[in-house]
Amino acid sequence: MITDLNFNPESTTRMKVVVTFMRMFSPPQHAPLVLPEGWHVQEHLRPDVAGYRLLQDRVGRDYCWWMRQAASDATLARFLETAPVNIGLLRQKQQIRGFFELDLADPQSVNLSYFGLFPEAIGQGVGRAFLDNVLRLAWQGGPQSVRVNTCTADHPRALALYQQAGFKIMRRVQEVWDVPDRLGIPVPQHLRV
């Protein structure tokens, strides 16, 4: 019998989610939604690894955003330096209140990879206008569509917000995720397997 003394499987918490894949086929036709006075969107940023992890954690901790957090610092640094993405912030004056990430790898089908508000910005009446601003940025390059997905671990109003913005449901898939316990991300009891 051969025993690998260096083998140390990572402890994980298993969770089951339903992922909803959505798509828009035309840009918003309504007048742009205006953010409240003092709020603005900043785009085309290249945060460092620590700053990016902070954005992911502040927006996604309560919604099990674990995939990017599980990546090594080297992997994230390479991504942040080379990936064709538009990473941006929602600011209230100089305070960061949310962030977004547009994946531009396929210029014909832009993916809204990440979008969300910091907890203190939820309920301030800025979510729809922030999303509208980001979607207008996504359509600037003239893609054929813009994609997003959400899941049953996300904010309970996320799906409705995307539908109100013009996204149509394309398909739903049940997935099982093994969330590394080292991340300290709380997995809701009702989603645990």
Side-chain angles (χ1 to χ4, degrees), residues 81-148:
E81 289 169 11
T82 63
V85 293
N86 180 355
I87 297 172
L89 303 175
L90 173 66
R91 289 186 179 271
Q92 180 184 22
K93 298 188 177 165
Q94 292 307 309
Q95 297 297 312
I96 299 171
R97 297 295 186 222
F99 99 104
F100 70 89
E101 180 179 310
L102 293 170
D103 179 347
L104 308 172
D106 179 355
Q108 294 307 308
S109 184
V110 173
N111 185 41
L112 177 54
S113 303
Y114 291 97
F115 171 84
L117 298 171
F118 284 10
E120 62 271 18
I122 295 173
Q124 300 291 316
V126 296
R128 286 192 68 207
F130 178 35
L131 179 59
D132 187 66
N133 276 255
V134 171
L135 291 176
R136 290 173 191 278
L137 294 174
W139 283 100
Q140 281 182 347
Q144 293 178 358
S145 67
V146 174
R147 297 173 286 126
V148 71

Side-chain angles (χ1 to χ4, degrees), residues 138-170:
W139 283 100
Q140 281 182 347
Q144 293 178 358
S145 67
V146 174
R147 297 173 286 126
V148 71
N149 65 58
T150 185
C151 76
T152 48
D154 279 340
H155 190 282
R157 293 193 303 263
L159 179 63
L161 178 67
Y162 292 134
Q163 288 178 303
Q164 289 167 3
F167 284 96
K168 304 292 183 216
I169 295 173
M170 304 309 291

Side-chain angles (χ1 to χ4, degrees), residues 1 10 12-13 17 19 38 91 127 133 139 145 162 177 182:
M1 172 199 271
E10 185 169 22
T12 62
T13 299
V17 296
V19 181
R91 289 186 179 271
N133 276 255
W139 283 100
S145 67
Y162 292 134
W177 297 340
R182 68 180 160 82

